[in-house]
Amino acid sequence: MYHAVLVSDRRHITVGQRRLSYLESGAGRPLILVHGFPLSAEMWAPQLADPPAGWRIVAPDLRGFGPSPDPIAPRTMEDYSDDVMDLMRGLEIGQAVIGGLSMGGYVVFSLRRRAPQLFQGLVLADTRATADTVEGRAARTRMQALAEKEGAEGVLREMMPKMLSEQAQRTDESAVAAVRGLMRGAPVPAITAALGAMMARPDSTPLLPDVACPALVVVGSEDRLTPAADSDAMHRLLPNADLRVIAGAGHLSNIENPRAFNRALADFLAQKF
Ligand code: MLT
């Protein structure tokens, strides 16, 4: 069951010239969770509602999404990983378990490339390490045009069938409503900027063998956007990783089956830290 997050729960912090927004819950060691596309920190509502014992979840809104103001597009993954680094600095978090879902995973790879010392652990949810294929880039360019023409509604129509499993699309009204609400909230400049950043991101596969810290790879078995095979591939290359497949869940496995997702997270944190 998806728990809505009140916008009034949002926290803000000014770091240098920038005002960043984020959601936070729990207390203890820091766990940073980076949202996917075209969503916001609110996608982590089911995790924020049930933080693992002894852990403090911090979920940033990447620039342009949620109430985080967007400077100027175009954007790169490094801009988004700056957001995470700035927020960690602003909150005086020196090291954390850092995770992301889908595009959030691409942001985490960018952060890992630039600042591996920030990682106590790594969580890769419904994501992939590889760069976009030529066809994938062409699809992103088409989606940018669709967003310009029809706004978030066009992107919603195109992506919604791939966000949740077929079963959930038919039967889980609260998850469907939550995902629709999250996607409708995305401003067009943020959508087109993120598509550009995803399209230009490098292959992060070479980073994987050097990730010595504990890692969790988690994926819905019915994920059609970043299929379980991508998670298998990452798991095989990571020297110190667990793999959890959430049976029946689609791409947004944390929303579709929060109980299983939260259990995977809590087990990993309890066993490795
Ligand atoms: C996401 O869920 O963040 C995106 O769909 C990822 C992608 O399009 O590669």
Side-chain angles (χ1 to χ4, degrees), residues 69-85:
D70 192 9
I72 314 131
R75 290 284 153 222
T76 62
M77 277 307 146
E78 283 62 45
D79 292 318
Y80 298 125
S81 59
D82 275 347
D83 294 348
V84 181
M85 266 195 277

Side-chain angles (χ1 to χ4, degrees), residues 23 35 37 46 101 112 121 126 129 160 180 190:
L23 289 166
H35 66 78
F37 168 85
L101 184 140
R112 176 81 204 174
D126 296 278
M160 191 62 203
R180 282 181 186 280

Side-chain angles (χ1 to χ4, degrees), residues 97-134:
V97 174
I98 307 175
L101 184 140
S102 201
M103 183 180 86
Y106 311 156
V107 175
V108 169
F109 281 129
S110 161
L111 189 61
R112 176 81 204 174
R113 186 175 292 111
R114 301 170 70 202
Q117 73 283 359
L118 298 179
F119 287 76
Q120 217 177 5
L122 172 68
V123 179
L124 297 168
D126 296 278
T127 191
R128 58 160 63 97
T130 49
D132 277 3
T133 59
V134 173

Side-chain angles (χ1 to χ4, degrees), residues 35-39 101-106 126-128 132 140 143 159 163 195 198 201 225-226 251-252:
H35 66 78
F37 168 85
L39 311 170
L101 184 140
S102 201
M103 183 180 86
Y106 311 156
D126 296 278
T127 191
R128 58 160 63 97
D132 277 3
R140 299 226 196 259
M143 196 168 307
M159 285 188 75
M163 296 300 248
L195 285 164
M198 288 196 281
R201 76 186 194 282
L225 268 173
T226 47
H251 185 56
L252 298 178

